[in-house]
Structure formats: C-alpha cells, structure tokens
Amino acid sequence: MDKALGDKIPEFNRKKAGGGGDGVGLSGTSLGLGDHRTKLETLAIILVAVVIIGGAELLLKWFNVPQYVLPTPSLIIMALFTEWGFIWPHLLVTLKELLLGFAIGASIGFVLAAVITQFPFVEKIVTPYILLLVTTPMLALVPLLILKLGFGSEPRIIAVALASGPMVMINSATGFRRVDLAKIALARSFGASTFQIFTKIRIPMAMPMIIVGLMVGSIFGLLTTVGAEMVGGAEGLGNRLTYYSALIRMPQFFAIILILAIIGISIYVLFYWIGKKWASWET
Amino acid sequence: MDATPMRNVAGASDKKAPKMVIAGATKYYQTRTGSVHALDNVSLDVRDGEFLCILGPSGCGKSTLLWSMGGLHGLTDGEIRLGAEKIIKPHPEIAMIFQDANLLPWRNLAANIALPFELKRKPVDQQRIDMLLKRVNLWGFESKFPRELSGGMQQRASIVRSLSVNPSLLLMDEPFGALDAFTRDEMNLLIQEIWMETGKTIVFITHSISEAIFLADRVVVMSARPGRIASVFDIDIPRPRPVDIQTRPDFIERVLHIKASIDHGRSPSDGLAIT
C-alpha cells in the first residue's frame, strides 16, 4: 500500500474557479499551531525541548564553558528573574514603540493598498517607491531621524512605521488585486453599491493576504524597534542588549534575547489565530 | 447564415405584453487588441412566465446578452426594457444565477443567502428562506460553508439566494455546466418544478442542446462572431417532463433537428467535420 495515500479518502479539493491562486495563505507555515496533535506528538515535542535545554545545561557545565562565552539556561532564567525589575520598564518602552509604529504604518499601508489598487495607473507609478521602502533597511534612516528628532521614542516609532507599513501595503495590495468578476457581478446584481462591493466582497477576499501582511509587517517592526534602540537612545530592550554586552553580563544579555524571542513568537501566534478565525475559508 | 427565416423579432405575435423586450441589442467590447463585436442587433421578446433557453457555442455572446439583461453592463446600441422600464442597471425584479454557484466562500450558507437582504438593507425574510431551504432539501445545512457542500447543494443554495428576494425574472447563466450528469438531471428537474410552482419567467443559458429542449418553452439558438440570433424553436412537449424523456426518439429527433440547424448555419471553416 502506498504510504502517502494510506487511508485517505480519494476525494480531492476541487479548486473552484475564482478566488485566485496567488495566496500565500497562513497554512503555508506548517508549524501546526493549534492543529490537532496526538498525545504522542505532544509528548515528543516536550521531550525534545527537555533534551535540548537539559543537554545544553549539562554540556556547558561539563566542559566548564565560562559564563561570558555562553551562560547555562538555568543562569539565563535566574537572570531574568533577578533582573526583571530593571528590565520591564525597557520592555514597556519597546512594546510601546512597536505598537505605535506598527499601528501607524499598518493603517497607512492598508488604506494606501485599498485606494491604489482601484487605480491601476496610480499603482504603476507608486509601486517602485513602495518596493524601495520594502527593500531598503529602515534602520539605515535611524541616525538621520535621531539627528532631526532627538533621542526620544519618536525617531524609532517613525522607523517602525516605515518598516512595517510597506510590508502591510504590498501584501494587502496583492489581496485587493485578486478581482473575482463573478463575485462582484453577483453583488452588483443584487443592487450593491461600490462601497458595499468593497466591504462585502473585496475586503473579505483580500483578508488572507492582509493578515499575512500584518504578520510580516509586525515582525519587521520588531526587528526595526530593537535595531533602532541599539543605534541610539537610553531605553528599550535593544539598548539593554548593547548595555549588557558592553558589561559582559551574558546571562542578562541572553535573558533579553529570550524576551525578544517570546515577543516574536507571540506575534506569530496572534496572527495565526486571527488567520484561523478570519481567513480559514481559504485552504 | 443571415438568411435564416426566423431571425426577426421572435414572439411578436404574442398578444400578452412581453416580460422583457430586447430591441436591436448591439455590443462591442473595447480590448487592448481592438474592439470585439459581441452582439449584433439582437431583438427578442421574453414572454411573461415562459421558460426561455438561449443556446449557443461558447463565445457567441449569450453571456453578454444575459449580463445586459441583468443590467450588469451597458449596450453599445439598442435597448432592453423590463415592462416600461429601460434596463441600465440591476433591477430588483431581476435575479441572476451564475456558473459554479458563485457562493462567497467566507460565509456560511445562512450568511450567503442573507447577502441580498444585506445589500438591499432590508430585514431578512427568514420565513421565506426557510420555506425555500426546505423545498430544495437544504434545511439544516445553514451553518455549513460552501466548501463543505457538494456542487449540486451549492447550486441549490444559490437558487435559494436568488429566489429569497422574490424576483419575477430569473436569469441563469449556464448554472449547471460544472455539475456531473446525474446531478445535472436532478437540478433540471428541480428548476422545472420551481418554475411550474412559482410561475416566474426564466431565461436560461446553456450550451447543451438536450438541456435546452428539456427545460424550455422556446429555444433561441445564437451563432457566434458576432453574436446574433440564428433561429428560434418552440418546444411543445407537455409538462412536467420526466428525465427519461431525453431518451425518447421524438426528443432525440428534436436534438438532431436543432443540431442540424446549427451546423447548417456554420461555415465549414468554423469547425472540423467528422467523417
């Protein structure tokens, strides 16, 4: 018996006309969050984590690796707790910059995508500049922004908006470009206005790509926040990274990295669930 | 092929006022490579309460004609009237049924059927919807999403969606083209029953000759490039027509008759002759 086929019911997802085939759906990321796992799979996942973390702990101790080269996992966790009182104000600064910058960038990106895709001529003219924004690391602008706006949060928020906005825009635009004439004709035949076609047909149809854009945009936003904090200023988790590494306080340094990893994973999980809820119709 | 005797205004002899009048409908599409002549001076009366099938090869402009009848796009020349009203935009008395059911995949069945009410900003007529759902055997499937339903069920749902707003004219654009033969027979029976029960006027587009004969009071045959009416056939088979009627010799004779008229009107270069 063919193993790949196994007990599969011989019925295939007939890809219906329309809906477009250019979607990069969230299901493409096969991390399988929230999908049904067997007990064995859960157990294996935990076991592997224990082996990796425990193994690192043992190996680092066994070979007497000095703390300033690579601290053991237990030291990192301990540093996280002992240093928490000093860390959390910086965490708040980072989150504030990320959320504000992302909110501004994503809103502008979304609105621009929605408007521009309605005018193919304008889209052709604007797209190269958006690509420029997407491909140029916005971190490069941070020193300039600091020069103009000082060492506060503002230059970093602007950098985050500049980094996440174009990502949201370019993905949303791909979504809005997926025109299904039959569905628009359907709505129109029931007397839909242009605005109703936008809210009832175009937005839901673009939703899977909009969510992908928001996810990629927010991750880019996180990168830019931390990078911008490392460039200048005296607050934020990025600043703490340079601070602790300058003092060679490696457990604290890795504790910060752990926090950043948790923020990143949280963003992914958040949008994974949003995608599941609002874009699950597209398999 | 211009010399077909029945090409003039069909149904003009009917005493009752026609449901819809198509007068000299002409349509050119402007494309990048030039203009395409889709409809050429099509004139046709749709009688009140009749089941009219428009039959023709792909690219003969039958969908263009139907979309114009539904007010989805304008004509280059000529006009279409529903009663006294000129159709220039979608009309509440007209509902369309599309190929492939055309349900919105992000809405469940109930939300799909509620769409016309939402767009018209009217309260949902749940009583009528429930009645229709029961009629087409979809009662109890309201929370299912389109992808969870078979092709036949999807198309039944789209029929409910269109009938829910109680239109008097139903325009159907090859609605069962993507279904398998068994489901298609089932759907043809259902649409015949619905037509007989409701007395609505139906214009039904198909490229299947036997489907057209099975369903229609009149079959309008269109020819392509440019799209024009080639001939009109009256189908006087008594109703209700059972599915197995399609195997009867006189039915097959009608199929061959219409087929011959289509082949006759086509120039030899248009298609390969099977010898």
Side-chain angles (χ1 to χ4, degrees):
Chain A
M1 194 169 63
D2 191 330
K3 242 197 152 172
L5 294 177
D7 292 333
K8 295 265 157 50
I9 300 166
E11 188 177 9
F12 308 102
N13 264 339
R14 280 164 299 163
K15 190 79 187 160
K16 281 273 159 10
D22 53 352
V24 185
L26 292 166
S27 46
T29 46
S30 63
L31 284 184
L33 275 169
D35 297 332
H36 291 288
R37 274 189 217 106
T38 62
K39 271 187 182 154
L40 183 73
E41 284 169 331
T42 314
L43 200 71
I45 289 167
I46 294 170
L47 204 71
V48 168
V50 168
V51 167
I52 288 176
I53 296 167
E57 181 84 30
L58 285 177
L59 282 174
L60 291 173
K61 282 203 170 128
W62 184 267
F63 289 108
N64 272 325
V65 178
Q67 214 191 82
Y68 58 84
V69 175
L70 202 57
T72 60
S74 58
L75 271 174
I76 294 170
I77 300 291
M78 233 143 68
L80 188 61
F81 282 107
T82 53
E83 205 76 354
W84 181 249
F86 299 103
I87 292 173
W88 75 263
H90 294 281
L91 171 63
L92 287 187
V93 168
T94 299
L95 287 179
K96 185 194 83 183
E97 289 166 355
L98 174 60
L99 284 176
L100 266 176
F102 176 67
I104 295 167
S107 315
I108 295 174
F110 175 80
V111 172
L112 263 182
V115 172
I116 269 173
T117 44
Q118 303 299 305
F119 307 101
F121 182 70
V122 179
E123 193 182 349
K124 282 202 180 90
I125 295 167
V126 172
T127 303
Y129 299 99
I130 300 299
L131 273 174
L132 197 73
L133 283 178
V134 166
T135 49
T136 311
M138 282 306 129
L139 272 178
L141 286 183
V142 172
L144 177 75
L145 290 168
I146 288 176
L147 214 60
K148 302 270 178 207
L149 299 166
F151 285 97
S153 279
E154 293 85 358
R156 297 196 286 265
I157 291 170
I158 291 172
V160 173
L162 280 171
S164 54
M167 285 291 168
V168 175
M169 196 217 129
I170 219 156
N171 281 289
S172 304
T174 307
F176 281 122
R177 246 181 263 121
R178 295 158 59 177
V179 184
D180 188 339
L181 211 59
K183 294 195 168 41
I184 291 170
L186 168 83
R188 195 70 93 189
S189 80
F190 290 120
S193 64
T194 307
F195 183 70
Q196 280 178 322
I197 285 175
F198 184 70
T199 55
K200 309 265 181 202
I201 307 287
R202 285 187 186 274
I203 289 190
M205 230 162 126
M207 196 47 83
M209 286 310 292
I210 294 172
I211 293 168
V212 168
L214 291 174
M215 183 195 273
V216 177
S218 53
I219 297 282
F220 261 68
L222 177 64
L223 300 181
T224 308
T225 315
V226 175
E229 285 165 352
M230 291 172 84
V231 172
E235 5 162 63
L237 294 176
N239 169 267
R240 286 298 96 178
L241 283 178
T242 34
Y243 173 79
Y244 287 128
S245 71
L247 298 176
I248 324 183
R249 291 172 67 183
M250 283 302 130
Q252 288 80 359
F253 179 86
F254 276 98
I256 302 287
I257 293 206
L258 187 64
I259 293 171
L260 291 173
I262 290 169
I263 297 174
I265 294 283
S266 307
I267 290 172
Y268 175 84
V269 172
L270 174 72
F271 285 108
Y272 180 87
W273 284 110
I274 291 176
K276 248 196 137 86
K277 180 128 177 57
W278 296 101
S280 61
W281 54 271
E282 190 179 66
T283 44
Chain B
M1 65 184 187
D2 284 344
T4 324
M6 296 178 83
R7 230 197 99 218
N8 52 7
V9 180
S13 62
D14 205 30
K15 291 216 173 59
K16 214 172 149 193
K19 180 80 187 164
M20 180 176 262
V21 177
I22 300 158
T26 302
K27 173 93 179 167
Y28 290 88
Y29 285 113
Q30 300 305 326
T31 66
R32 230 174 251 259
T33 49
S35 84
V36 176
H37 196 174
L39 285 179
D40 182 41
N41 195 24
V42 171
S43 294
L44 178 72
D45 283 3
V46 181
R47 297 170 191 158
D48 194 15
E50 82 169 325
F51 202 127
L52 182 79
C53 278
I54 299 176
L55 177 69
S58 42
C60 74
K62 51 194 194 307
S63 285
T64 301
L65 180 60
L66 198 80
W67 280 41
S68 304
M69 291 164 83
L72 288 178
H73 58 203
L75 294 168
T76 314
D77 198 17
E79 66 171 25
I80 294 173
R81 288 192 310 273
L82 180 80
E85 273 181 88
K86 202 175 162 187
I87 294 294
I88 42 168
K89 62 179 194 324
H91 192 282
E93 283 291 309
I94 304 172
M96 299 190 73
I97 290 176
F98 296 84
Q99 298 172 27
D100 291 333
N102 207 4
L103 298 174
L104 305 180
W106 54 87
R107 284 169 174 246
N108 66 16
L109 215 63
N112 259 296
I113 293 167
L115 179 75
F117 296 94
E118 245 177 86
L119 295 173
K120 292 168 195 282
R121 300 179 202 284
K122 281 182 182 165
V124 177
D125 188 347
Q126 199 55 50
Q127 220 178 342
R128 182 175 171 81
I129 290 173
D130 287 350
M131 184 267 288
L132 289 165
L133 283 173
K134 280 176 187 152
R135 178 66 191 80
V136 303
N137 285 328
L138 278 178
W139 175 253
F141 287 92
E142 292 92 328
S143 60
K144 297 273 185 221
F145 281 81
R147 63 166 185 277
E148 301 172 285
L149 302 174
S150 71
M153 290 168 96
Q154 289 186 23
Q155 199 49 275
R156 263 151 45 205
S158 97
I159 291 170
V160 171
R161 178 175 61 190
S162 295
L163 290 174
S164 67
V165 287
N166 205 6
S168 62
L169 175 60
L170 217 49
L171 304 176
M172 306 180 76
D173 189 1
E174 288 185 41
F176 311 139
L179 301 178
D180 63 87
F182 299 102
T183 315
R184 194 172 178 157
D185 279 346
E186 223 173 86
M187 297 301 296
N188 282 338
L189 271 181
L190 178 71
I191 204 71
Q192 176 183 239
E193 284 164 18
I194 285 174
W195 175 72
M196 290 175 76
E197 286 163 22
T198 58
K200 300 199 180 303
T201 310
I202 296 182
V203 177
F204 187 106
I205 281 184
T206 178
H207 51 232
S208 157
I209 299 175
S210 57
E211 186 174 61
I213 297 173
F214 178 79
L215 287 171
D217 291 328
R218 282 194 303 156
V219 174
V220 174
V221 178
M222 287 184 73
S223 61
R225 280 173 294 270
R228 49 174 66 140
I229 295 179
S231 44
V232 180
F233 296 88
D234 285 306
I235 312 294
D236 50 7
I237 305 171
R239 293 180 194 267
R241 300 170 185 168
V243 171
D244 58 20
I245 200 179
Q246 299 183 45
T247 53
R248 278 189 0 208
D250 57 329
F251 188 95
I252 292 168
E253 204 173 296
R254 282 176 201 266
V255 174
L256 293 174
H257 181 60
I258 293 181
K259 177 119 182 61
S261 90
I262 294 170
D263 293 343
H264 182 73
R266 181 189 290 168
S267 60
S269 63
D270 279 358
L272 289 171
I274 300 165
T275 49

